[in-house]
Amino acid sequence: MNERPATWSPHSAHWGAFSARWDGTTLDVTPYEHDPAPSPILENFTNALRHKARILRPMVRKTWLEGKARGTRDFEPDFVERSWDEVTSLLAAELARVRNEYGGGAVFGGSYGWSSAGRLHHAQSQVHRFLNMAFGGYVRSVNTYSAGASAVILPHVMGGYENHSRRNVTWDQIVEHTDNVLAFGGMALKNTAVASGGLSRHIERDAMTRAARRGTKFFCISPLRDDLPDEANATWLPIKVGTDVALMLALAHTLLFEDLWDKAFVAGYCEGFGPFQLYLLGRDDGTPKDAAWAAGITGMSAAAIVDLARRIARGRTLIAVSHSLQRAQYGEQPVWMGAVLAAMLGQIGLPGGGYNYALGSLGHTGRRVNAVPIPTLPQGKNEVRDFIPVARISDMLLNPGQPFDYNGQSLRYADIKLVYWAGGNPFHHHQDINRLRRAFNMPQTVVVHESAWTPTAKFADIVLPATMTLERDDIGACATDPRLIAMRKVADPIGEARDDFDIFADLSRKLGVEEAFTEGRNSRQWLAHLYEPTRRALAEGGWDAPDFEEFWQRGELILPSDPDDGGSLRAFRDDPDRNRLPTPSGRIEIYSKTIATFGYSDCPPHPAFLPSTEPASQRHPLTLIANQPSTRLHSQLDFGAYSQSKKIRQREAVRLNPVDAGRRGIKDGDIVRLFNDRGACLAAAIVSDDVMAGVIQLSTGAWYDPEPGGEPEPMCVHGNPNMLTRDIGTSRLAQGCCGQVTVVECEKFPGNLPPVRAFDPPIPL
Ligand code: PGD
């Protein structure tokens, strides 16, 4: 047992920097002293270290040992314990078998997930490095669940995603310059609290307060009122889910019709306005995209739309489009149309104006970028060419060899025999979990490294207990936060848990290639090695550049930042010929000839309003928003104290409007059943007029907890909205995730309330 340390240990999580101390029983956590608005999610750590949900020892599915796992995996207890030596030998032999029989192209190591904040013990980087360096490659995944559509459309029409989301308008610019912020999808503080690698200062609340005091007018364009905090003093413009593009088009139409648009900017900086103008005016389809047309679609009044258009044409206006809007069918369109609307206003590249994709969707945005590189684990070269857009995992497993489209390419799904996952929880994050269950029953072997018994771990064949972040040394860093953190180990690992790095080093040794993976370094030596490029860049720039030991003793290092210069869009504005955008024309593409050649009807060559192919109906009259939770990051530490404190009768809370609740006889605190043709889940009702009528909101992250005996498609008794979401791509262009929106019905749950078992560990046979 650890002694209570005399000093607190600095540490970091994706939701913020903090210090912690552990006396063997109690974990004290305190936020970084200079953080003006620490996230309450930090409290989730306090009961996590020794929680019953932690995995203590390696486990193997008994039916897998008997060669019968494929097609029979479920959530009933079927595990036996194995020693580390036995399990790594077994796994090394299985990896060698699969490679010999089928090659690396039969292993899916895409292994998506946020895992933890440290730069070395980042599980996704570790598994990719292992599969590249020690195994010979794997089928990978590209893009993210966060930004699946935008990461593909933006390079076609404006240039790289990173530049437009991160090196663009800062909060400081907004405080000083911006008159109007049109926040499509809002800018919720629960989202800006999070940035991969962790932030030491959460600045957004203060920035919005100061901007609003100076006179910035924020507009929260969302079905949820609290998608902007009270501090922004925003005007809420409730809009029907999935209709933002119609509003943007009507704003553009009004600007055009009333001659309020910046013709010189469009002529000098954009490509292809002509064909788009025909669409906007309805010359090609007979439907002018005017305010009256949009009113019928969005639920806003035509007069309010015209007023808004006139207002944004005056003063400095920023158009921001959140991640959430593109996590839906045709999600490419709002990202593109937001840019076109901003181009018509002519302020792209001006301080505090123009277009900032994803500003306010994560803590990475609106800040200055570090002037030196942060430590990064090299992942080696992947010899396998096959990949999937990340959210096509079920499609791939269910349809080996079948064709699919992606970004102008015709590809085929690999035939996967072994799935290797570390640092993610697909049974929380992927859409249509009943379908995912079938998909995860296709491979011969499923391997998972986890620190807790998530549903993904419970569905695996080989489960390896990983340390959690507090149980190891690491370096915390985020490219848009100046504080490099010596994340010191706070507690000894639980049970027999080991670092992912040590597990992979062991496996590499059993595969006879230890040196290829470790390069002769232990984890402490890797930390020093990863720190070195940062130190070197600091020294070359003439900044404070302590060696690793000194950095480690200090516990932190403040890194210099690049200037707040508006990035590549400002440079483009200043000189569009010398500073061309990295698009085919070098300009903002309002019409994309490249996309036109793909011939995708679900992603036309200019932005357009495409209504969902699954609209609300009599059977499923409510539109579900399955957004990011405020009580945890994704599903991480769902058993943690803060997440648990917000559950109602152990279930996740679902919010619905008083009108919809009244019609169904639902009151605050009632357990309700949400359902559609794909599945069902229970949740606990909160009746609130912060949610627009016709909309129901259930955040992601409650661990999937199938009702026993409900096979093959049991309901989740805990509240995972991915029981209900659609597992389709945004379009053939990006094939991004559509998890944000679906349609459902909701009723008061009539039956006996089943217990929540989500956090119970399986009892070994
Ligand atoms: P997390 O809960 O963060 O979710 O999906 P993601 O899989 O990233 O999972 C991380 C897992 O890593 C946790 O189970 C944690 O225990 C484990 N872990 C942490 N540290 C370590 C470690 O050191 N080693 C190992 N081996 N494991 C570790 C998030 C994904 O969900 C994302 S990014 C988005 S944006 C999507 N959002 C939505 C959405 O808006 N709506 C729906 N319906 N669905 C979504 N899914 C997506």
Side-chain angles (χ1 to χ4, degrees):
M1 187 184 289
N2 284 359
E3 295 285 301
R4 182 187 284 273
T7 53
W8 295 73
S9 298
H11 215 80
S12 186
H14 297 305
W15 44 97
F18 63 99
S19 293
R21 64 178 184 186
W22 168 247
D23 66 0
T25 315
T26 308
L27 183 82
D28 297 322
V29 173
T30 186
Y32 178 53
E33 56 181 327
H34 300 297
D35 189 343
S39 167
I41 302 178
L42 281 176
E43 198 189 323
N44 280 333
F45 279 124
T46 55
N47 65 333
L49 271 171
R50 297 296 179 257
H51 195 277
K52 69 174 177 182
R54 293 292 310 277
I55 305 176
L56 303 177
R57 275 173 282 284
M59 296 260 215
V60 184
R61 185 177 289 278
K62 192 162 161 285
T63 40
W64 182 83
L65 288 168
E66 293 160 354
K68 297 186 295 206
R70 184 170 187 267
T72 69
R73 290 177 193 102
D74 63 18
F75 288 88
E76 294 311 309
D78 183 29
F79 285 108
V80 290
E81 291 182 347
R82 285 287 180 269
S83 70
W84 271 111
D85 187 47
E86 286 171 306
V87 82
T88 45
S89 297
L90 204 62
L91 179 51
E94 175 64 358
L95 285 167
R97 178 190 75 82
V98 172
R99 185 177 50 194
N100 292 344
E101 283 182 28
Y102 308 103
V107 171
F108 181 70
S111 183
Y112 179 84
W114 270 59
S115 59
S116 46
R119 303 297 298 169
L120 170 63
H121 297 293
H122 182 247
Q124 209 190 135
S125 308
Q126 288 285 347
V127 66
H128 295 165
R129 178 177 165 81
F130 166 74
L131 290 172
N132 282 337
M133 310 293 280
F135 184 72
Y138 62 95
V139 177
R140 68 193 200 283
S141 61
V142 297
N143 309 327
T144 62
Y145 277 82
S146 305
S150 53
V152 179
I153 186 79
L154 277 171
H156 285 294
V157 302
M158 273 196 105
Y161 160 84
E162 291 290 323
N163 274 352
H164 298 303
S165 61
R166 295 193 188 180
R167 285 180 189 267
N168 194 344
V169 175
T170 58
W171 288 108
D172 284 345
Q173 292 177 30
I174 292 173
V175 171
E176 199 178 336
H177 299 283
T178 311
D179 297 311
N180 305 303
V181 175
L182 253 61
F184 286 93
M187 297 170 156
L189 293 182
K190 69 179 171 61
N191 296 339
T192 52
V194 170
S196 65
L199 299 167
S200 61
R201 291 168 57 83
H202 293 88
I203 57 172
E204 294 78 5
R205 188 179 64 189
D206 185 45
M208 288 190 218
T209 309
R210 288 190 295 137
R213 269 201 211 122
R214 188 193 46 80
T216 308
K217 185 73 208 151
F218 288 88
F219 293 91
C220 177
I221 303 169
S222 169
L224 307 177
R225 187 201 309 267
D226 45 13
D227 268 345
L228 263 174
D230 290 346
E231 286 82 351
N233 198 18
T235 297
W236 182 31
L237 301 176
I239 184 167
K240 285 188 188 162
V241 178
T243 66
D244 300 76
V245 175
L247 172 59
M248 293 173 184
L249 285 165
L251 294 171
H253 187 280
T254 308
L255 296 177
L256 190 74
F257 197 71
E258 300 198 0
D259 202 18
L260 297 172
W261 62 301
D262 190 331
K263 293 178 213 59
F265 186 87
V266 170
Y269 294 88
C270 303
E271 185 70 21
F273 187 70
F276 171 73
Q277 188 176 5
L278 295 180
Y279 168 76
L280 194 61
L281 295 173
R283 301 267 158 76
D284 56 354
D285 61 0
T287 306
K289 313 301 175 303
D290 59 15
W293 166 81
I297 296 171
T298 60
M300 288 173 67
S301 76
I305 295 172
V306 171
D307 276 356
L308 186 62
R310 291 176 185 155
R311 177 169 186 127
I312 60 176
R314 296 193 302 269
R316 185 64 49 88
T317 294
L318 176 67
I319 309 290
V321 172
S322 73
H323 273 337
S324 55
L325 296 195
Q326 51 88 65
R327 213 173 287 136
Q329 192 181 24
Y330 313 129
E332 296 82 1
Q333 302 306 313
V335 179
W336 194 356
M337 187 55 215
V340 172
L341 178 60
M344 289 179 69
L345 290 166
Q347 299 186 10
I348 288 176
L350 289 179
Y355 182 58
N356 199 138
Y357 172 68
L359 179 67
S361 294
L362 274 173
H364 298 111
T365 55
R367 293 160 182 264
R368 287 160 71 163
V369 177
N370 294 333
V372 293
I374 56 172
T376 305
L377 183 70
Q379 295 180 17
K381 187 166 180 302
N382 192 345
E383 300 295 341
V384 175
R385 295 173 64 93
D386 289 343
F387 69 89
I388 52 165
V390 65
R392 301 278 47 83
I393 174 79
S394 291
D395 282 359
M396 174 185 68
L397 295 176
L398 291 166
N399 302 298
Q402 292 304 305
F404 68 100
D405 290 314
Y406 170 69
N407 202 11
Q409 303 169 65
S410 296
L411 303 164
R412 282 187 187 275
Y413 289 123
D415 186 357
I416 298 299
K417 307 295 183 195
L418 186 148
V419 169
Y420 206 131
W421 219 288
N425 189 5
F427 276 85
H428 130 260
H429 75 223
H430 192 63
Q431 289 57 65
D432 195 348
I433 289 182
N434 280 325
R435 184 168 188 250
L436 185 76
R437 277 179 73 135
R438 292 194 292 279
F440 261 66
N441 249 316
M442 297 295 285
Q444 296 170 355
T445 302
V446 178
V447 186
V448 168
H449 293 198
E450 248 298 347
S451 46
W453 278 110
T454 61
T456 304
K458 286 180 181 166
F459 212 73
D461 300 320
I462 299 180
V463 182
L464 303 181
T467 50
M468 63 179 284
T469 176
L470 295 165
E471 296 165 336
R472 60 201 183 215
D473 289 336
D474 212 326
I475 299 177
C478 169
T480 50
D481 188 276
R483 188 164 173 251
L484 194 75
I485 303 169
M487 294 168 59
R488 299 210 190 107
K489 174 178 164 178
V490 176
D492 287 332
I494 195 169
E496 296 175 18
R498 303 177 69 187
D499 298 349
D500 294 292
F501 170 82
D502 291 328
I503 301 171
F504 287 128
D506 226 17
L507 275 174
S508 305
R509 193 173 67 250
K510 295 212 164 153
L511 287 166
V513 287
E514 184 182 11
E515 178 73 18
F517 177 73
T518 65
E519 297 178 25
R521 297 184 193 94
N522 61 25
S523 41
R524 179 67 172 206
Q525 290 162 331
W526 266 104
L527 288 176
H529 179 70
L530 297 187
Y531 171 78
E532 183 54 20
T534 306
R535 191 208 61 77
R536 207 178 313 120
L538 286 167
E540 282 164 10
W543 291 293
D544 180 25
D547 66 19
F548 177 74
E549 289 307 324
E550 193 186 335
F551 155 65
W552 197 257
Q553 287 314 314
R554 288 191 203 173
E556 68 172 20
L557 187 62
I558 303 301
L559 304 178
S561 306
D562 281 342
D564 183 9
D565 62 2
S568 56
L569 286 176
R570 178 86 48 84
F572 170 62
R573 182 180 190 96
D574 291 345
D575 190 338
D577 293 323
R578 289 182 62 182
N579 305 317
R580 291 163 55 86
L581 294 180
T583 59
S585 62
R587 300 279 197 268
I588 297 166
E589 302 224 344
I590 296 176
Y591 180 96
S592 165
K593 289 182 189 148
T594 308
I595 293 177
T597 64
F598 299 161
Y600 296 150
S601 55
D602 51 4
C603 187
H606 59 70
F609 173 64
L610 304 172
S612 166
T613 55
E614 191 190 59
S617 64
Q618 225 173 349
R619 286 180 64 229
H620 302 126
L622 297 172
T623 304
L624 172 73
I625 294 193
N627 60 354
Q628 301 298 329
S630 59
T631 59
R632 60 192 166 254
L633 168 64
H634 308 312
S635 72
Q636 291 205 30
L637 306 180
D638 188 25
F639 52 79
Y642 188 65
S643 180
Q644 287 299 309
S645 74
K646 302 294 177 188
K647 305 256 177 187
I648 301 169
R649 295 163 74 188
Q650 297 179 287
R651 324 286 139 159
E652 193 66 16
V654 61
R655 294 195 301 170
L656 74 171
N657 185 276
V659 173
D660 297 313
R663 271 192 201 134
R664 293 165 178 79
I666 294 169
K667 294 188 297 303
D668 258 339
D670 282 347
I671 300 299
V672 294
R673 178 174 162 268
L674 278 69
F675 59 95
N676 62 17
D677 292 338
R678 286 178 286 275
C681 71
L682 301 184
I686 294 181
V687 181
S688 164
D689 55 16
D690 285 344
V691 179
M692 197 178 158
V695 172
I696 186 164
Q697 178 252 319
L698 175 63
S699 296
T700 60
W703 287 9
Y704 169 56
D705 191 354
E707 185 186 25
E711 277 72 16
E713 298 199 336
M715 74 172 173
C716 168
V717 304
H718 186 199
N720 189 317
N722 278 322
M723 297 306 299
L724 305 155
T725 49
R726 265 204 294 181
D727 187 12
I728 57 166
T730 50
S731 78
R732 285 187 288 163
L733 184 88
Q735 297 280 12
C737 139
C738 291
Q740 183 79 29
V741 181
T742 191
V743 291
V744 298
E745 180 52 294
C746 170
E747 63 177 10
K748 207 165 153 173
F749 180 61
N752 289 332
L753 199 53
V756 170
R757 305 178 310 160
F759 309 115
D760 293 348
I763 298 174
L765 300 174

